Amino acid sequence: MVREDETVSPEEAARWTRRLAIECNNRAWRLAEAEGRTAAEDEEMLHCAHAAALHWSRVGTELHQARATMLLAHVHALRGRGESAMEYAMQSFTYVASHDSPPWEVAFAHAVLANAACAARKRELHRKHYDIAKALGASLPDEEERAIFDAAFRGVPVPA
């Protein structure tokens, strides 16, 4: 609880909220890309993804919120929560598909949808979006974007 003499301006609160959104987002992605996470790290990853989504819902654009939803889909899939992963993945995929999204973001959307489909045991959907994500990721011309994509894509199971 904030004491009355400790109030902050709306601008200052927004700056802090944005900073927290960025920090939680980045921490969740680092944990998602890590191999051999502990149970505590899995829980932290989930909390960070939800915290990022909450903060972006307060200070972010529609694009920030769609990206936060994509992160939620990926994290829920990594945790084996197929139903919620699919809900988040479809929301973010719909946003990306209906906007003039850059190639790296389209590749990410397919990768996250593949991961969610795998967690939800939707084999055909998993295979379809995995193959599309793999092709799009391999064709990314920017090396840095491709490296970031590859780090996340490694967490998506290969279809059987």
Side-chain angles (χ1 to χ4, degrees), residues 27 31 37-47 79:
R27 179 64 178 157
L31 287 167
R37 286 181 309 277
T38 65
E41 289 170 328
D42 269 351
E43 195 69 12
E44 180 184 358
M45 176 181 66
L46 183 65
H47 289 311
R79 296 291 311 271

Side-chain angles (χ1 to χ4, degrees), residues 54-71:
L54 172 68
H55 292 306
W56 283 127
S57 75
R58 293 184 175 163
V59 297
T61 64
E62 191 177 59
L63 177 60
H64 290 120
Q65 293 171 31
R67 289 177 178 168
T69 303
M70 190 179 298
L71 173 60

Side-chain angles (χ1 to χ4, degrees), residues 46-105:
L46 183 65
H47 289 311
C48 285
H50 279 280
L54 172 68
H55 292 306
W56 283 127
S57 75
R58 293 184 175 163
V59 297
T61 64
E62 191 177 59
L63 177 60
H64 290 120
Q65 293 171 31
R67 289 177 178 168
T69 303
M70 190 179 298
L71 173 60
L72 285 171
H74 191 58
V75 167
H76 276 248
L78 292 173
R79 296 291 311 271
R81 298 176 176 184
E83 186 176 329
S84 57
M86 280 300 298
E87 288 178 27
Y88 291 129
M90 290 307 298
Q91 287 175 28
S92 62
F93 188 85
T94 299
Y95 178 87
V96 169
S98 66
H99 289 76
D100 188 22
S101 301
W104 69 265
E105 197 157 46

